[in-house]
Amino acid sequence: MDSDEEEQRIPLSQRPEWSDVIPVQQDDGPNPVVPIAYKEDFRETMDYFRAVYISDERSPRSLRLTAEAIHFNPGNYTVWHFRRLILEALNCSLHDELDYIERFAKSNSKNYQIWHHRRWVAEKLGTDAATKELEFTKKILSIDAKHYHAWSHRQWVLQALGGWEGELDYCQQLLEDDIFNNSAWNQRHFVITRSPFLGGLEAMREFEVSYTIKAIRANPENESPWRYLRGLYQHDTEALISSLQIPSLCVEVLSAKNNFIFALSLILDLLCHGFNPSEEMKNAVQVLKNSDSQPSDLSLADTICGILESVDPMRKNYWAWRKQRLAAQGT
């Protein structure tokens, strides 16, 4: 119901099809403390909705009434629930229902009830709905690339209904459009670890590490690929600290003496896992040290924490805590 339809709306009490229904008013008790000043259209719609809900009338007119009630309050989960009961009872076209939700989502895309309802419909349709659901979320994400509900729904669709075949390409396109899109990086990791067609994380690691290193070299200040790089070694610390590419990348970034916070952070984690740094890496770190404020006999890990306290003031307390942890662990 758009604004023009709302202006032309005929009250339910004046519609012949509702003449047999006695509306049920909201029961606020005998002495409501702060009664809500509902608009008349909303009040009347909900009064008639209560009547059909109480009588469990699962009819076409009740279905139309739920659409009116949802228009006035899209977050009313009771109305959405009753709508689902009616759809089942009338054996309505669920493809039409997806179209209804898509129209409604244009102005209410972050409403929890919409996404719960859409999942229910898609689940009923099964694998036939996969392509349409992926296209629907793609439309939403083209407007808001970090839309939580759209990403959550998309991941559910892939796992429950399928459609994995083109998902890595979709992530690739999103990252080509915006390499800083952390949601696309997250989805990429989801795909390479969950897709039944890619062979799993170990099978994809070599290619993904090369891809990620290239992204880091282009934008070392971008935290997302650094996080993604760590994720590629999830539950495999031994492979992480034995990698030749990662220490080389870190030294390369440090040597540029700019945007090196995430490189230092990764080196610190490597050291905490038992990594043995090269002389080249030690020298690259020492060059960044503020000699006036740090003792010369600090360990490499302590030196890194000291540098990070200085160049990353937003997380200064965190790096101080990490330094304390190093002392407690004898690192």
Side-chain angles (χ1 to χ4, degrees):
M1 184 186 296
D2 57 30
S3 57
D4 292 336
E5 290 175 323
E6 192 169 348
E7 290 179 4
Q8 301 170 5
R9 180 180 181 275
I10 299 173
L12 291 162
S13 59
Q14 297 178 22
R15 301 181 201 177
E17 67 170 325
W18 290 101
S19 60
D20 63 315
V21 176
I22 300 175
V24 178
Q25 295 184 356
Q26 179 171 298
D27 183 4
D28 290 328
N31 300 298
V33 178
V34 185
I36 299 174
Y38 296 115
K39 289 184 177 181
E40 180 57 30
D41 285 349
F42 174 82
R43 184 201 60 75
E44 183 194 48
T45 300
M46 292 309 299
D47 288 352
Y48 276 84
F49 172 76
R50 288 188 202 92
V52 297
Y53 182 71
I54 291 171
S55 65
D56 197 22
E57 181 189 315
R58 305 182 188 186
S59 64
R61 70 174 181 179
S62 293
L63 184 64
R64 293 191 294 272
L65 182 60
T66 62
E68 292 192 42
I70 288 169
H71 166 75
F72 287 119
N73 181 11
N76 192 322
Y77 54 84
T78 302
V79 177
W80 284 105
H81 169 70
F82 193 53
R83 183 176 181 86
R84 288 190 283 276
L85 295 179
I86 298 171
L87 289 169
E88 284 191 309
L90 300 180
N91 196 26
C92 295
S93 168
L94 295 182
H95 287 287
D96 289 346
E97 187 68 6
L98 288 179
D99 293 337
Y100 163 74
I101 301 168
E102 183 163 354
R103 292 193 302 271
F104 196 77
K106 289 179 180 179
S107 58
N108 292 274
S109 70
K110 295 190 176 180
N111 181 298
Y112 281 92
Q113 302 307 321
I114 288 177
W115 293 97
H116 178 72
H117 186 69
R118 188 162 186 109
R119 179 179 294 194
W120 177 86
V121 175
E123 195 167 24
K124 290 287 184 182
L125 289 170
T127 55
D128 290 344
T131 300
K132 190 166 188 174
E133 292 309 280
L134 293 176
E135 285 301 314
F136 172 67
T137 55
K138 188 180 291 187
K139 290 178 184 177
I140 300 291
L141 293 169
S142 68
I143 300 171
D144 181 356
K146 298 185 179 182
H147 197 296
Y148 169 77
H149 298 290
W151 280 119
S152 179
H153 187 73
R154 190 175 186 89
Q155 291 187 352
W156 172 81
V157 170
L158 290 169
Q159 291 183 298
L161 307 180
W164 292 99
E165 294 83 355
E167 193 65 10
L168 189 59
D169 289 338
Y170 175 59
C171 295
Q172 178 73 21
Q173 184 59 57
L174 289 177
L175 291 172
E176 288 178 5
D177 294 340
D178 178 13
I179 199 65
F180 289 84
N181 185 343
N182 60 302
S183 295
W185 283 103
N186 180 73
Q187 183 70 359
R188 190 181 183 101
H189 187 270
F190 175 82
V191 174
I192 66 167
T193 55
R194 306 289 183 89
S195 172
F197 301 106
L198 298 178
L201 180 56
E202 289 190 20
M204 294 294 294
R205 182 179 289 151
E206 182 178 357
F207 176 84
E208 290 300 298
V209 168
S210 297
Y211 173 81
T212 308
I213 287 176
K214 182 179 179 181
I216 290 174
R217 282 177 173 151
N219 296 279
E221 76 281 11
N222 182 2
E223 185 173 6
S224 295
W226 289 100
R227 294 289 180 185
Y228 186 77
L229 187 60
R230 294 168 188 251
L232 293 175
Y233 293 91
Q234 186 177 16
H235 309 309
D236 194 351
T237 303
E238 188 62 35
L240 174 64
I241 63 176
S242 62
S243 168
L244 298 178
Q245 292 173 288
I246 294 177
S248 176
L249 170 68
C250 291
V251 170
E252 180 182 333
V253 173
L254 295 184
S255 299
K257 300 179 183 179
N258 190 34
N259 298 319
F260 51 75
I261 290 175
F262 302 122
L264 283 178
S265 175
L266 181 51
I267 293 172
L268 180 61
D269 288 343
L270 290 173
L271 293 171
C272 290
H273 287 304
F275 172 72
N276 186 24
S278 65
E279 288 301 317
E280 183 184 20
M281 178 176 285
K282 292 177 183 178
N283 292 334
V285 172
Q286 290 296 329
V287 169
L288 301 174
K289 185 177 70 171
N290 185 339
S291 58
D292 296 332
S293 61
Q294 294 190 50
S296 59
D297 59 347
L298 289 177
S299 69
L300 184 62
D302 280 324
T303 299
I304 289 174
C305 286
I307 296 171
L308 287 170
E309 284 183 74
S310 175
V311 300
D312 189 16
M314 183 68 70
R315 288 175 283 193
K316 182 177 181 179
N317 291 339
Y318 170 72
W319 299 121
W321 175 80
R322 288 292 300 268
K323 186 186 290 186
Q324 292 175 351
R325 292 277 295 170
L326 291 174
Q329 295 170 353
T331 302

